[in-house]
Structure formats: C-alpha cells, structure tokens
C-alpha cells in the first residue's frame, strides 16, 4: 500500500519528516543515501554494533551480484545496484568490480535452463550469452572443462564490496545532514494514535515520523516491538576460504575471474586474491532463531567473530568440498583455511519484505534483502516514502502479500527453509512448494479429490488445475493435440484441452473461491468507491462494473469487479491484500471495508448450457431479459441462498454464484446432480487460463501493474474521464499518447508453446517481453500477450525466444474469440 500525501506527516516549509532507520547494513546505508538525495535530510540511522562493519549479514557478505532473475522487479533492483555501486568508491577503492558472471551447466537440464535464463536476461535488459564449455574454460581457467557442458556469461555482473559501499553512502548521506549512531541497541518502538512516534534505545529516545526496519535477520525482533509480524526466517549458510593456491600466486587484484555458480552442486566461487572463496547451499537447512542471536559484544564473548557468523560445521561441508574439487582440479591438493556459517534471511516465497505496515502507520519494512538488490530496494522504498509510490512495481514484495495462514512461525520456518534448499534449483514457474499442504481449501475440496483433481497452490489455497476424471474426454476432442517439450509439459495435461472444449460446448463448474472478495458498506460507500476507481459506479442496485484502482501517477494498482447489491452495500472482486489495505486506509468514517473471502465461496458456472443448468434450480428469472450481463442479484439455488453475478472470465454464458462457506458443499452438490444429464464437468485453472487468453482478459500482476496505464494495457474502456474526480485522473489527463502497448500475438506454428517472460524481437531487435501465454485450444494456436512498441499493425511478424530458439509469431487483433460477444450475451 502507498501513503498518499494526506497520510504522511506534513512538515513545516524547509524541513523534512523525521526518519529513523534501524540497521546500518547495506540496506540502511543505501536508504539513508536515497532519502537524503530526495531532500529528506532529517535521517537518523541506529546500529547496535560498531561501524562500519556492525556484524549483520552485510559484514560477511561475499558480494556476488548476478542480476538475472525470473522476477523483472528483482532484476531491475540488481541492475540499479550495479549501476550505483559501480559509480561509488571509498578511499580510492571501487565499490563494485565488474568481473562478470559465469553460471555453469554440467547436466542437459541445467544447460537448457541456462538458455531460458539467457532469454530472461534479454527480456529484462541484461547482456549475456550462453557459451560453450571451451569458452567457460577460457573465462575460468581453473575449471575441468570435461565436466562442463556450457555456461551463461554475463559480462557486467560482478562483486560488490558491501562494507565499502556502506561507507561511501554513509559519507554522502552524512554530508547531506543524516547521522549514523552505532552502539545503540533498540529496545522499543513508541506509537501514538495508530502511528509510530519514536524509537527507544539503550541510549535514549529518538522521535520519529517514520521508522524503517532494515535490521536484516533481527527484523522479527524489531517487528515484535512495533506489534508487527515480520515473516522471515534467518538461516545459516556455509562459506569457506582456501589456503593460497599456486595457480593464483602473484594475483594483485582481489578478483579477476568472473564470479562462478556451479548450481548443479549448489555451490558458488569467487577469488580472494590468491585464495578461492566457496559458498554452499547444498547442506541441510540451518534455521536460526532471530530472538536468540547475540548482540555484537555478546557474540565476541562466545568466540564468534560477529553475530552473523556461526561456527563452521565440518560434517555439512564434506560433500560440497568433494563437488568443488571435482569441478576445480586446483582444489584437489588444497586445504580450507577458514570457514563460517553466515546468517541471512529467507521469506516463505524468497522475496523481500517492503513497504509500510498495515498495523502501525509510519512503520516501514525493508527486510530480507540481499546485497544484490540492496540499492534498488533502497531507491524503491525512498520513492515510496517521499513520493507516495515507487517507480518500480513492487507488489511481489509488498509486506501485505502473506495471508494470516501464511504467517504462523511454523509456516515461515518451513517455507523459509525450503526456499534455502531450492535457491539454485531449476524451478518451473508453476512449481509449488510441497509443504505444508494442504493449508487452505475451499468447501468443494473433498469433491475435487474424488474427481482426481491435480492441485497447485497459490496464496496458501489448493487450486485444481485439471481433473483426471475428465481424462476419457481427451479421446473425443476430434483433433490430435500437438506434443510438448519437457518444460512446457510440466504441470500440464491434455485433460485441460478437454475441459476447455467442454466449457465451450456444454457447461463446466469452476472453483473461484480463492479469488479475493471484499465487502464495502455504510453511508457514503458509493461516493467513496466512485472517488477511488475509474469507471462509473453510480448505477442502480444490481449493477456490476469492471473498474480500476490507479495510483497518483495513473498506474494500475489493481482491477476490480464492483457489484452494487443494495444502496449502501457493495461486493468487490479484488486481487490482493494490498487492495484491502488501500481501501481501508482511505475509507471515510461510516464506511466499512471487510475481507469476506475466508467465510464465503464461489462456483463459476459457464458454458452454453449454463442457463439450462441453473434456471430449473431457482424460482428467479435467469433469462437474458430477466438477468442481463453484468448484473447481480440475490437468489436461491435449490436450498442455498446465493449472490449471483452474471460475469464470465472465460467468454461463455454463465454466472459466478457466491454463498457462505458452510453452504458451499451443498451448492456444489446441487449443481453437480442437476448437471449430470447436461454433461457437466468440473474444470480447472489450466483450462480457465486458456479460455481467458482467447478472450483477451487481463490478469493484474502479470499483464499489467503500477508501471502501466489503462491506455497502454488496453483498458481505456474502464476509465470515464467525464465522471468527476477520481484517484489518478489528473495524471491520466496529462499523459502523452502511449509508446508501448500490451499486444496480442498468435504463434505461427500450431505445435509451438511459450509460457511467459520470454523476450520478443521485432526486426531482429529485442523490443519487449511476453506477459501471459497459454495454448488456445479453441483456436489451435498458442496465445501470448507482450509489451511491445505501440503502432505494430495486425499481421506484423515478431519472434519470441524460447530456450534459445526464435519462435515466429504474428500480431493479431483482439479479442481473438467471439469478438461480437454473442456467446456471453445470450
């Protein structure tokens, strides 16, 4: 959630808000530099240890910066970190050494993944190439070339000198007015009227308008003082240095060879002059209790070099040492000179925790951030605090993203430990973590299991992707489905095609329970929602409206479906907990905003026979004339009271039927029994995504974010500039014509498939990237949406890079299926 200008303290002219940053590691120092550069100069950074190396994760960080990530956001953070640290030095020593990066493949699966990573790099603007084993040997002469199949070389990656970068930024921030106070242990957080008001230390109290916890693995400790949950798990990670190697004798530079990843063995390597440093993720998870980590002096008394440096565990090191020697023959006669287990932070999904907390206004988190992303994160948080929004979309690391069920200590520990285990694994975009599951299930879960549902997981929810009970339908498709490569065949089944076909031809039940539902009630609810969103909501009760939430710059912070159920009663289909927080924060007195998701459920009934299924079960008129498209009403389906919305995200006739969770199973069974003679099936998320792509329906967070405007995303129809003032209206009015657009593509080859995030080239030059993609079973082609330059006419040929292959595609007009909407409006 973002703080709007009226939410933030309003200092007197010529002054700035009082900011206290807790932690003078790489994030705290970077944030102080970014804030003071933007004119917020009343910044105090408190640190419990001695500067410049106070003993947190920064003090022992090996400093490897590989920018390429499946996350566009993280790649952007890392790019800025390289750019910024590359411009800094301290006492004549540069803060970043661009020695390059080299990721190795010793298995065919890893080599294929390196081609995928090269595509990600191209999509996100990072220069890199997949190289041969011989080239890997040239770049890193100590390698045994015979065990290497190839590598991915990124020449601008390299080593960040984290402590030096802290000192350089500390000096710049201090020159602008910031102060850094070491040996100050935080003991409490003061608050007044729901806002943070100060930080208590063992050496005094520091008044504050904003407090930022950048305490690293101590984050949960600081959070508890503020009454805020900080769902991160510190884990210890092995790092060792060899004795001097003859092969590196005479080395003058700290490092000259590229930083090296041997991910098939969960290892990385970097030079330390004539020694090699080796880090391992191959060992068992070693979770650390953040409340048991000693302070700096107490750690020294225990014989620890610093609080983040735990004793080396030889028994965990032995397998990694053998793997390192296998790859690097020079290590076979070498010995380990020193080692330690360094503590750093993991979250349940491996992403940082950023933003202002919902529990305490003015209390911010900048936690679970690695050196790789530190400067980029600091810039985003500084923009968020000063301007009210970061220029980069950060919804993937918003502090509100975890549900209550995902915040238990047991969950955070288990998922955080699993993130450590999988840090170098080849991870499919659909691949769920396996434990703890199941956690959140809809009321239909038992019936779904009986039908052989294949579940994936999102937000803690079990979500059926297809049902094995529908496997016999595959033979009736009438056309042979194209084969799939091993990557696109993962978490996919031809049953999805049969389910999509059955939805288009008959009727299917979809479990829509995991989609977030909000309820807004009270006098003034209409005025409030109309002011917050882009479309016209001043319609009589029973109307449903698709609309957008914008930020102050006109970026799309969410898309909503708003049903007016009564004069002052609205039901909203939303996307994230951030939507709830945003609306709660801005709701006026008398207007209540509640999340009702967990107490309710939803069945989507869609297909040309949907009315034939539903109408006999109700005394209400579900005809087209009696219950029009984008209308809502309360009704009964059999014995079950429902709120029915005539909507369709799959492009077919039908309704979303909502009821309370206790009646959900009865609703499902009523529909299922009545639908048998119509050939009703249960259908999963895989078919759902295929059908929505054929209709061109957008998915927020994938197809568009705060980085995009409605016109760019093809959602201008949801904006009514003539309705009066609304959030973001002024920014839209002043925007120039878009130079990029979300563009629909059809792959030329009926057998070709892409999955998303691939680079797209126009006339041989990378021009954008794919957002959503999936096979359109009705169309017999894969559909992809991509951000590309505006003005590409339908029929324009492009290429999508998929695992190193250039896959031809063509720009097309949308919607690709049923452009006249006759199937929905019947």
């Amino acid at each position: 959630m973002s703080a709007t200008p009226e939410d933030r303290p309003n200092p007197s002219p010529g002054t700035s808000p009082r900011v206290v940053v807790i932690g003078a590691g790489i994030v705290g120092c970077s944030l102080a530099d970014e804030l003071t550069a933007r004119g917020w100069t009343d910044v105090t950074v408190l640190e419990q240890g001695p500067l410049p190396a106070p003993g947190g994760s920064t003090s022992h960080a090996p400093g490897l910066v590989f920018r390429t990530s499946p996350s566009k956001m993280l790649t952007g953070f890392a790019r800025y970190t390289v750019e910024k640290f590359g411009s800094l030095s301290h006492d004549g020593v540069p803060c970043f050494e661009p020695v390059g990066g080299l990721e190795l493949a010793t298995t065919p699966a890893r080599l294929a993944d390196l081609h995928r990573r090269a595509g990600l790099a191209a999509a996100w603007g990072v220069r890199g190439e997949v190289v041969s084993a011989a080239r890997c040997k040239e770049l890193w002469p100590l390698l045994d070339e015979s065990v290497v199949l190839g590598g991915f070389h990124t020449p601008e990656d390299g080593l960040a000198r984290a402590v030096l970068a802290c000192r350089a930024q500390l000096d710049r921030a201090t020159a602008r007015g910031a102060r850094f106070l070491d040996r100050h242990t935080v003991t409490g957080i003061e608050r007044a009227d729901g806002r943070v008001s100060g930080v208590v230390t063992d050496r005094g109290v520091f008044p504050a308008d904003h407090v930022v916890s950048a305490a690293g693995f101590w984050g949960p400790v600081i959070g508890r003082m503020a009454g805020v949950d900080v769902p991160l798990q510190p884990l210890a990670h092995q790092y060792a240095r060899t004795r001097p190697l003859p092969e590196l004798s005479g080395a003058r530079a700290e490092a000259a060879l590229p930083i090296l990843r041997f991910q098939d063995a969960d290892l990385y390597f970097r030079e330390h002059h004539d020694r090699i440093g080796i880090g391992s993720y191959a060992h068992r998870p070693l979770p650390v209790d953040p409340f048991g980590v000693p302070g700096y002096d107490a750690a020294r008394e225990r014989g620890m070099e610093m609080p983040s440096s735990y004793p080396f565990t030889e028994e965990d090191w032995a397998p990694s040492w053998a793997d390192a020697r296998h790859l690097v023959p020079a290590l076979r006669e070498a010995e380990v000179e020193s080692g330690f287990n360094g503590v750093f932070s993991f979250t349940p999904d491996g992403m940082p925790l950023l933003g202002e907390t919902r529990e305490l206004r003015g209390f911010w988190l900048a936690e679970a951030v690695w050196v790789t992303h530190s400067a980029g994160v600091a810039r985003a948080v500084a923009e968020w605090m000063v301007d009210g929004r970061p220029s980069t979309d950060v919804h993937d690391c918003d502090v509100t993203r975890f549900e209550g069920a995902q915040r238990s200590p047991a969950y955070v520990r288990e998922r955080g430990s699993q993130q450590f285990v999988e840090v170098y694994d080849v991870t499919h975009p659909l691949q769920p973590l396996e434990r703890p599951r199941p956690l959140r299930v809809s009321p239909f879960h038992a019936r779904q299991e009986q039908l052989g549902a294949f579940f994936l997981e999102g937000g803690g929810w079990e979500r059926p992707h297809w049902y094995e009970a529908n496997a016999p339908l595959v033979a009736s498709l009438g056309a042979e489905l194209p084969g799939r490569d091993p990557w696109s065949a993962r978490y996919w089944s031809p049953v999805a095609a049969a389910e999509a076909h059955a939805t288009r031809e008959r009727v299917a039940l979809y479990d829509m329970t995991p989609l977030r539902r909000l309820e807004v009630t009270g006098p003034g609810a209409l005025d409030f929602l109309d002011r917050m969103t882009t479309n016209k909501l001043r319609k009589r009760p029973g109307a449903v409206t698709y609309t957008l939430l914008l930020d102050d710059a006109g970026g799309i912070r969410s898309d909503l479906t708003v049903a007016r159920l009564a004069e002052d009663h609205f039901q909203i289909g939303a996307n994230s907990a951030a939507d709830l927080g945003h609306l709660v924060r801005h709701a006026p007195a008398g207007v209540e905003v509640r999340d009702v998701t967990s107490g309710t459920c939803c069945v989507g009934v869609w297909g040309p026979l949907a009315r034939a299924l539903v109408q006999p079960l109700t005394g209400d008129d579900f005809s087209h004339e009696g219950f029009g498209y984008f209308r809502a009403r309360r009704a009964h389906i059999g014995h079950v009271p429902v709120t029915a919305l005539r909507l369709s995200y799959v492009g077919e006739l039908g309704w979303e039927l909502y009821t309370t969770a206790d009646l959900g199973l009865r609703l499902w069974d009523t529909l299922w029994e009545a639908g048998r003679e119509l050939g009703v099936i249960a259908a999963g998320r895989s078919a759902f995504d295929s059908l929505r792509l054929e209709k061109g329906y957008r998915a927020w967070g994938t197809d568009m974010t705060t980085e995009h405007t409605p016109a760019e995303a093809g959602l201008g129809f949801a904006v009514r500039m003539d309705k009066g003032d609304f959030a973001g209206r002024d920014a839209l009015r002043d925007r120039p014509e878009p130079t990029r657009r979300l563009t629909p593509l059809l792959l030329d080859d009926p057998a070709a498939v892409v999955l998303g995030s691939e680079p797209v080239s126009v006339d041989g030059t990378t021009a954008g990237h794919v957002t959503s993609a999936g096979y359109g079973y009705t169309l017999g082609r894969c559909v992809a949406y991509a951000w590309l330059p505006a003005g590409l006419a339908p029929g324009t040929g492009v290429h999508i890079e998929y695992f190193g292959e250039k896959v031809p595609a063509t720009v097309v007009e949308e919607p690709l299926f049923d452009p006249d909407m006759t199937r929905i409006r019947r």
Side-chain angles (χ1 to χ4, degrees):
M1 73 187 79
S2 64
T4 58
E6 62 269 22
D7 293 324
R8 299 194 296 271
N10 187 20
S12 302
T15 66
S16 69
R18 298 166 299 178
V19 179
V20 175
V21 178
I22 301 173
I26 191 63
V27 178
C29 290
S30 297
L31 180 57
D33 183 49
E34 295 287 339
L35 285 171
T36 55
R38 287 166 174 77
W40 280 24
T41 55
D42 191 349
V43 176
T44 301
V45 183
L46 301 175
E47 174 54 60
Q48 58 92 28
L51 293 173
S57 300
T58 299
S59 301
H60 70 246
L64 283 72
V65 178
F66 286 93
R67 293 167 296 166
T68 304
S69 164
S71 165
K72 177 178 178 288
M73 174 196 69
L74 289 184
T75 300
F77 287 162
R79 288 177 60 192
Y80 182 72
T81 298
V82 168
E83 176 186 319
K84 183 176 185 181
F85 290 178
S87 70
L88 296 176
S89 64
H90 185 79
D91 289 339
V93 180
C95 295
F96 183 79
E97 203 66 62
V99 294
L102 181 61
E103 302 179 49
L104 299 178
T106 59
T107 65
R110 180 68 65 178
L111 184 60
D113 189 60
L114 293 187
H115 281 285
R116 182 176 73 100
R117 288 180 63 78
L120 291 170
W124 312 145
V126 174
R127 187 164 70 95
E129 64 173 335
V130 177
V131 297
S132 67
R135 178 60 177 152
C136 291
K137 177 72 172 179
E138 291 176 8
L139 291 166
W140 231 83
L142 302 184
L143 292 175
D144 181 351
E145 182 184 349
S146 68
V147 303
V148 177
L149 300 181
F152 175 47
H153 180 223
T154 46
E156 281 93 29
D157 288 344
L159 289 168
R161 296 183 173 94
V163 174
L164 280 188
C166 284
R167 296 178 69 181
Q169 293 178 102
L170 182 156
D171 289 346
R172 297 204 315 185
T174 300
R176 300 186 191 111
R179 57 178 176 166
F180 289 75
L181 304 177
D182 63 2
R183 298 293 191 174
H184 281 64
T185 299
V186 174
T187 59
I189 305 295
E190 294 186 334
R191 66 198 81 183
D193 300 323
R195 282 199 65 90
V196 70
S197 60
V199 177
V200 183
T201 76
D202 58 350
R203 300 174 66 177
V205 178
F206 295 84
D209 302 307
H210 295 274
V211 173
V212 184
S213 178
F217 53 76
W218 281 292
V221 179
I222 302 300
R224 180 175 292 182
M225 296 177 192
V228 170
D229 232 0
V230 181
L232 68 79
Q233 175 61 55
L235 287 113
H237 158 61
Q238 289 204 310
Y239 192 79
R241 291 193 194 194
T242 68
R243 294 188 183 278
L245 300 181
E247 292 82 356
L248 297 177
S249 63
R252 295 184 178 180
E254 178 185 355
L257 301 178
I259 50 177
L260 185 72
R261 276 176 169 169
F262 180 21
Q263 290 153 302
D264 289 322
D266 294 313
L267 296 175
Y268 63 81
F269 302 77
R270 59 151 293 179
E271 292 173 279
H272 294 279
H273 296 286
D274 58 355
R275 294 163 170 80
I276 295 291
I278 307 167
S280 171
Y281 294 99
H283 54 83
R284 62 195 167 97
L286 299 168
V288 173
D289 178 5
F291 295 90
V293 177
Y296 188 90
D297 293 326
R300 304 280 286 187
E301 290 170 4
R302 295 187 195 181
M304 300 164 61
E305 183 181 351
M306 61 184 74
S308 61
S309 178
Y310 275 55
F312 197 57
T313 47
E314 293 283 355
E315 66 277 14
D316 293 309
W317 176 248
S320 292
W321 186 228
D323 287 333
R325 287 172 155 180
H326 178 65
L327 179 70
V328 182
L331 298 177
R332 293 169 189 170
E333 302 300 323
E335 296 180 357
V336 171
E337 181 176 65
S338 63
F340 65 96
N341 289 357
V343 182
F344 62 137
S345 304
F346 284 83
T347 59
D349 61 3
M351 303 294 274
L353 295 167
L354 308 181
E356 188 176 14
T357 62
R358 188 184 302 160
E359 301 93 332
L360 182 60
R361 302 282 296 281
F363 185 77
W364 298 72
L365 299 184
E367 297 288 10
V369 181
W370 295 8
V371 171
T372 299
H373 310 114
S374 55
V377 162
R379 178 175 66 170
V381 173
E383 291 172 336
W384 211 341
M385 295 175 72
V386 176
D387 304 326
R389 68 182 294 272
S391 57
T392 299
D393 174 71
V394 295
H395 78 274
D396 281 338
C397 53
D398 192 297
V399 295
T400 65
R401 70 187 181 275
F402 295 117
E403 306 292 336
Q406 297 173 293
R407 289 177 171 268
S408 71
Y411 184 94
V412 173
R413 180 186 176 99
E414 189 165 4
R415 283 289 174 99
S417 297
Q418 191 61 26
Q419 288 293 335
F420 177 91
V421 170
E422 296 183 359
V423 72
Y424 277 171
D425 286 1
V426 177
T427 304
H428 193 278
L430 293 176
Q431 182 174 327
L433 292 171
E434 296 302 322
R435 300 185 307 274
R437 290 180 63 194
L439 185 64
R440 307 176 78 188
V441 298
S442 79
F444 325 129
H445 185 72
R447 299 293 184 264
Q448 292 166 343
E449 287 188 308
Q450 292 167 4
L451 293 171
F454 180 85
F455 292 100
L456 295 179
E457 184 251 17
W461 288 100
E462 294 295 317
R463 298 184 174 191
H465 271 241
W466 66 83
Y467 295 85
E468 287 300 326
N470 296 324
L473 300 177
V474 175
S476 65
L477 289 175
E480 185 174 342
L481 288 172
R484 289 205 170 202
D485 65 275
W487 185 253
S488 64
R490 295 184 68 185
Y491 306 104
W492 173 83
S493 169
V495 174
E499 292 176 358
H501 181 76
T503 306
R504 292 276 189 239
E505 296 299 320
R506 299 191 304 277
V507 62
L509 305 184
Y510 288 83
D511 181 3
M512 307 301 289
T513 300
L515 300 185
R516 188 174 301 276
R517 290 172 292 285
L518 308 180
E519 188 176 71
V520 180
T521 57
L526 173 60
D527 290 341
F528 164 61
L529 290 174
D530 199 47
R531 187 174 67 253
M532 296 296 293
T533 66
T534 61
N535 214 336
K536 289 184 177 179
L537 300 185
R538 298 188 181 279
K539 304 170 184 176
R540 67 184 187 276
V544 181
T545 306
Y546 177 79
T547 188
L548 306 174
L549 279 178
L550 303 183
D551 63 20
D552 290 341
I556 304 171
R557 62 177 304 133
S558 191
D559 63 341
L560 309 176
T561 302
V562 180
R564 191 177 189 187
L565 304 181
E567 196 71 22
D568 296 317
H569 184 183
F570 295 82
Q571 178 177 304
I572 297 178
N575 286 296
S576 70
D579 296 345
L580 171 66
H582 183 67
L583 293 174
V584 166
R585 171 160 294 183
H586 290 87
V591 174
E592 183 180 9
V593 182
R594 297 191 305 126
D595 189 329
V596 297
T597 308
S598 296
T600 56
C601 60
C602 178
V603 182
V605 185
W606 290 311
L609 300 182
R611 184 174 288 114
L613 170 56
V614 174
Q615 184 64 80
L617 299 174
T618 181
D620 290 89
D621 183 0
F622 271 58
S623 69
H624 182 64
E625 294 73 21
F627 196 157
Y629 189 54
F630 263 75
R631 299 291 299 168
R633 70 167 44 157
R634 290 191 172 95
H636 284 82
I637 301 297
H639 296 92
V640 180
V642 301
T643 299
L645 274 59
R646 190 173 168 195
L647 304 175
S648 177
Y649 205 50
V650 301
E652 295 293 337
L653 169 70
W655 291 266
E656 294 177 357
L657 302 176
Y658 297 89
T659 191
T660 53
D662 59 322
L663 292 170
L665 191 58
R666 183 62 176 263
L667 175 62
W668 180 278
D669 287 346
T670 299
L671 294 166
W672 186 259
E673 290 303 318
R676 284 182 180 273
E677 63 183 31
L678 300 174
V680 70
I681 67 161
R685 191 76 186 182
S686 188
F688 179 88
D689 283 338
S690 170
L691 297 170
R692 72 100 179 165
L693 280 167
E694 290 182 331
K695 283 297 293 181
Y697 294 148
R698 277 57 166 152
W700 183 85
T702 302
D703 295 319
M704 73 278 191
T705 68
T706 55
E707 296 180 9
H708 311 107
T709 66
E712 292 173 332
L715 298 176
F717 66 88
V719 178
R720 294 289 184 264
M721 296 294 288
D722 59 349
K723 76 164 188 168
D725 193 31
F726 59 85
R729 182 178 183 273
D730 290 344
L732 293 187
R733 184 187 57 209
D734 297 334
R735 296 281 295 213
E737 280 295 307
T739 59
R740 60 177 179 175
R741 292 190 185 275
L742 188 62
T743 305
L745 307 172
L746 269 183
L747 275 61
D748 295 350
D749 183 353
V753 173
V754 299
L755 300 182
S757 297
E758 297 88 358
V760 182
S761 58
V762 179
D763 295 330
T765 301
T766 300
H769 67 275
V770 174
T771 57
S772 295
Y775 203 84
Y777 300 110
T778 315
L779 303 173
R781 293 282 195 283
C782 183
V783 181
Y785 274 78
W787 282 104
L788 291 172
L792 295 180
T796 301
V798 302
H799 286 88
I800 303 172
E801 184 177 326
Y802 182 72
F803 285 88
E805 298 293 325
K806 299 289 187 181
V807 179
T810 301
V811 175
V812 291
E813 292 191 52
E814 58 176 341
L816 287 78
F817 177 79
D818 188 27
D820 297 327
M821 303 285 282
T822 56
R823 297 176 71 94
I824 292 177
R825 302 177 185 273
R826 58 182 170 186

